[in-house]
Amino acid sequence: MQPDQMKDALFDSVRQALETMAFILADEAQEATEIPTTAKRISMSFTGPTSGTVELIASESFGQTLAAGALGLDPADEEVLSKVDDALKELINVVVGHMMPAIAEDRSDVFSLALPELGDIPADDWSDFIATPSASVFVADGAVIAARVTK
Amino acid sequence: MGYRFLLVDDSAMTRAVIKRVIGMCGVEVDKILEASNGKDGLAMLRVTPVSMMFLDLNMPQMSGMEVVKAVRADPKLAHVPIVIVSSESTESRIEQMKADGVNGYIKKPFTPEQIGDIITTILSTQSTGDAHAA
């Protein structure tokens, strides 16, 4: 699979996952966007006919918006606040799940998925992340998120 | 006496959403048990009989498919209806689930209607004395 095809598959998967999971519409960022000072990095590896790692970076407040949308609760609700990390992990799980059929070259292809990993990312690392050719930057519900897939 | 459900998913958020939908779908609920990995879920199932279980695939300690195989191989548990709730949606994976004896599959993210419909379908099958009846 060509890198551009992989990037397109990830782009579509992120948009679809956000919309179906939490009714969040995401568009490609058209110009320089304000980078959040504190952000989470979520990653998930897959192996199979094609192998790689999908990574997402998003602010904690976006995670709150995501959890609120998925749970159908107010973003300030205590249950939402306790499930921000969980929502971000579930987002990448859904993104990778959506992406696999798109990158499968044959219907019999089997992929093995690792568990999602989550950590903090320093603001300085954003520019390196989005400079990767496979990276896409989105504006979703007023927040900036970035995604990339690396082999 | 209502129905008992077992939710096995490492995502607390997903368990919370399914739990809420079960509460809204009009069936009498006795208890909703939760486990965050396949190993704990299987242990709970061995102790507490349930009417049906919702099971994720990609989990720590014991995957969903390992749980399915263990349940189907155990004569005391083999009748328990299993619904897989997962983001994995390749054709090969879905065919494997069917071959291993799952009763239903719902792709994440799901709608409340999908969960409600599968509960109604499976529980009505149980009440008519199907081979999967608890």
Side-chain angles (χ1 to χ4, degrees), chain A residues 1-71:
Chain A
M1 167 156 285
Q2 298 300 312
D4 279 355
Q5 290 174 292
M6 191 90 91
K7 183 178 178 177
D8 290 347
L10 175 60
F11 184 86
D12 291 343
S13 297
V14 170
R15 291 192 66 183
Q16 196 181 354
L18 287 171
E19 187 172 353
T20 51
M21 198 175 150
F23 307 105
I24 294 173
L25 299 178
D27 287 312
E28 188 168 18
Q30 296 296 326
E31 53 197 44
T33 44
E34 193 177 336
I35 292 168
T37 50
T38 58
K40 298 277 186 182
R41 174 194 189 127
I42 321 106
S43 65
M44 188 167 172
S45 298
F46 58 93
T47 53
T50 305
S51 299
T53 300
V54 173
E55 296 168 281
L56 292 173
I57 46 178
S59 64
E60 193 155 341
S61 64
F62 177 76
Q64 203 173 327
T65 304
L66 180 67
L71 289 162

